[in-house]
Amino acid sequence: GGAHGGAGAVGWRRGRRGVRRGPAEEHGHAADRPHHQAACLRDDLALGTSEQGSEHMKEFLRFPLILMLVCLGSALGVGGVYSLTRGPIAQRQALEARLARKAVGPEGVTDFVALNETNDIFKAVDAEGETLGYVATGSARGYGGALLVMCGFDTYVRVLGVVVTSHSETPGLGAELTKVKSNQTLWGLFGLDKSEVTRECWLDQFKGMTGKETDPDAGNVDAKTGATITSNAITAAVFQAYQKIEKFLE
């Protein structure tokens, strides 16, 4: 009976409600309980840290993704606008260039024939295809940046007219040199109106000069006070236009 009782103290006991652990086993499990709780706490902390890291990663990726979508939408919008306006802009630029050629070209011209691939030298011809003169573009750096001119020449390469087609000169100073006063109408540029053309501006002094006389080093062009840089730039651009024609005719 005593042996049976000792075995029951350290082994299993069967009570009214089922199987029970002995005191020694109960004590062992009680000792392991803090370790189990600590392990559970570590698991909870690890899980919380993992979830928190996942949230940070989502936030980190969300803003670049939004920015990428915004940039993509903007690029598609700009591309769409450019596609829609590219044709009309090219047509307007072509019309402006033709009007400039008509304004400085010889009288009686009916067409301009490009003489090179860059379309900056043209031969002015009449209805019979007879050469009446030439038109060329020239460029130089003015006070405010690039400055472009369109120059007309007769068959002897004397200047017929000059217009500034693009510039960034100071209003009231250099910009005044680029102005052309004329009573010619838009219809007249297309030969539908025979109104007399009168221009009174600083650019008129180039008329009648030979191409060589437009050389800035020759000193034949009177610079405007307060706009010397623009004056020299226009003169240099006109001389460059002459050099293009001269090179073609060689």
Side-chain angles (χ1 to χ4, degrees):
H4 179 74
V10 297
W12 296 97
R13 291 183 179 176
R14 187 175 300 276
R16 294 178 59 186
R17 297 184 179 180
V19 179
R20 293 189 302 160
R21 294 182 178 89
E25 190 175 359
E26 290 288 343
H27 177 72
H29 281 280
D32 292 337
R33 190 172 295 118
H35 298 287
H36 177 69
Q37 292 176 347
C40 292
L41 181 59
R42 286 195 300 270
D43 292 341
D44 292 341
L45 290 175
L47 180 60
T49 303
S50 176
E51 292 178 351
Q52 187 176 12
S54 178
E55 290 297 326
H56 283 303
M57 182 60 68
K58 290 179 181 179
E59 288 294 324
F60 179 78
L61 294 176
R62 185 165 66 93
F63 290 106
L65 180 60
I66 293 175
L67 181 60
M68 182 182 69
L69 292 176
V70 171
C71 293
L72 179 60
S74 300
L76 291 175
V78 172
V81 172
Y82 174 74
S83 297
L84 292 174
T85 59
R86 179 175 54 184
I89 290 176
Q91 292 177 359
R92 180 176 60 82
Q93 291 176 341
L95 176 61
E96 290 177 351
R98 179 172 176 79
L99 293 177
R101 289 193 292 269
K102 290 283 287 184
V104 300
E107 295 183 1
V109 62
T110 59
D111 195 13
F112 294 93
V113 180
L115 300 178
N116 59 3
E117 295 180 355
T118 55
N119 291 331
D120 58 356
I121 307 175
F122 292 84
K123 179 172 63 174
V125 298
D126 59 14
E128 286 73 32
E130 188 73 21
T131 300
L132 301 179
Y134 304 92
V135 174
T137 62
S139 64
R141 182 167 184 81
Y143 182 81
L147 184 147
L148 305 177
V149 302
M150 186 81 73
C151 305
F153 301 89
D154 62 15
T155 53
Y156 297 98
V157 200
R158 291 178 300 206
V159 179
L160 295 175
V162 177
V163 294
V164 178
T165 58
S166 177
H167 71 89
S168 301
E169 302 306 285
T170 306
L173 293 175
E176 292 297 313
L177 275 62
T178 68
K179 292 183 177 180
V180 176
K181 297 180 180 180
S182 173
N183 66 353
Q184 186 172 8
T185 65
L186 178 64
W187 299 110
L189 294 177
F190 288 102
L192 301 178
D193 184 2
K194 302 301 181 180
S195 300
E196 182 181 357
V197 179
T198 57
R199 296 188 181 96
E200 298 176 359
C201 62
W202 181 85
L203 297 173
D204 284 343
Q205 62 182 304
F206 288 99
K207 287 184 178 181
M209 286 187 179
T210 63
K212 293 182 179 179
E213 290 175 340
T214 64
D215 188 340
D217 296 332
N220 296 318
V221 179
D222 295 329
K224 181 178 180 179
T225 304
T228 306
I229 295 177
T230 304
S231 303
N232 294 337
I234 294 176
T235 305
V238 172
F239 185 64
Q240 185 190 82
Y242 155 72
Q243 289 178 313
K244 291 180 180 181
I245 299 296
E246 190 68 19
K247 183 177 180 180
F248 173 79
L249 294 176
E250 289 178 353

